[in-house]
Amino acid sequence: MDANVVLFDMDGVLVDSEQYWHAFEDDWVFAEAIESGDPAHEEITGMSFREIYDYLDAEYGTTVTKDEFIEAYDENAVDLYGEKVVLMDGAEELFSDLRAAGKTVAIVSSAPQDWISTVRERFDLDPLDLVLSADDIDKPGKPEPHIYEAAAKELGVAPEDCVVVEDSVNGIEAAVRSGAYTIAYRGDQNAELDLSRADEIVDGPEALRAVLLGEK
């Protein structure tokens, strides 16, 4: 793995937001916003919340409008990203050392830009070479590969020259299908999931650092 471009997913990789989104899904999305059924978290994790609505509406039926659904997600995101989430251990140092090693560093996320901005500002993650949201591309999001293809194009490289760090089944699928070298980041939120589509699986921040900086 010699790629000089590293594309980080945000939720579940850079911040521990998935546990809070899963709680929100259990308490409201799956309990009140769908008509019937018992979705699994991994069905929607990694998707943008607009696409989550479309998916749930098609598969389970919905009891709220899309505007109401979006508003609920936006309201939950304010406290979640502004107060609750914790940054991955060693992330600031990892970003700094990747830059010092001549690597291009980007965030590529299904989250809207304002949610990403909250995380960037709260944890001082700038400078970044690119911040790309699913909202920035006019194509289907994860698990389709378009967001990672678009990120590579923006940075002037081929997807095959990128390393992607992902945690969700949908995100890993998107990265693999784009042609990028895909690292699955395993944590508590995805400990039981099959992440074998990735080229490599790492357990925690130290293992991730070792792989990205060639320290292993």
Side-chain angles (χ1 to χ4, degrees), residues 137-191:
I137 64 169
D138 189 23
K139 290 184 177 180
K142 305 170 186 179
E144 299 299 324
H146 306 302
I147 192 169
Y148 285 116
E149 293 170 345
K153 185 176 181 180
E154 286 274 339
L155 292 166
V157 298
E160 291 80 8
D161 296 324
C162 300
V163 178
V164 171
V165 186
E166 268 283 2
D167 72 308
S168 70
V169 171
N170 287 321
I172 289 166
E173 184 66 21
V176 169
R177 290 173 61 187
S178 77
Y181 187 89
T182 305
I183 299 174
Y185 184 79
R186 194 184 290 283
D188 293 341
Q189 82 282 359
N190 62 359

Side-chain angles (χ1 to χ4, degrees), residues 23-185:
F24 174 70
E25 289 158 10
D26 287 335
D27 293 344
W28 183 75
V29 179
F30 300 159
E32 298 182 30
I34 63 171
E35 290 178 348
S36 61
D38 186 22
H41 293 296
E42 58 264 28
E43 289 180 56
I44 61 173
T45 300
M47 293 181 178
S48 75
F49 60 100
R50 292 176 177 83
E51 290 180 318
I52 289 172
Y53 181 87
D54 294 339
Y55 173 83
L56 292 174
D57 192 46
E59 296 295 325
Y60 300 97
T62 50
T63 62
V64 297
T65 67
K66 192 168 187 176
D67 284 345
E68 290 168 335
F69 193 83
I70 289 170
E71 183 179 359
Y73 265 81
D74 270 332
E75 288 177 355
N76 193 61
V78 173
D79 183 51
L80 191 155
Y81 293 112
E83 300 290 338
K84 290 181 177 177
V85 298
V86 174
L87 188 66
M88 179 181 73
D89 285 346
E92 304 104 313
E93 184 181 7
L94 174 60
F95 275 32
S96 176
D97 289 346
L98 285 169
R99 292 188 200 101
K103 309 278 188 184
T104 295
V105 180
I107 293 176
V108 180
S109 174
S110 295
Q113 284 285 0
D114 57 340
W115 299 5
I116 302 171
S117 292
T118 299
V119 171
R120 288 166 59 196
E121 291 166 12
R122 184 178 164 204
F123 297 113
D124 194 22
L125 290 180
D126 290 320
L128 292 160
D129 296 287
L130 176 69
V131 179
L132 188 68
S133 162
D135 287 352
D136 300 330
I137 64 169
D138 189 23
K139 290 184 177 180
K142 305 170 186 179
E144 299 299 324
H146 306 302
I147 192 169
Y148 285 116
E149 293 170 345
K153 185 176 181 180
E154 286 274 339
L155 292 166
V157 298
E160 291 80 8
D161 296 324
C162 300
V163 178
V164 171
V165 186
E166 268 283 2
D167 72 308
S168 70
V169 171
N170 287 321
I172 289 166
E173 184 66 21
V176 169
R177 290 173 61 187
S178 77
Y181 187 89
T182 305
I183 299 174
Y185 184 79

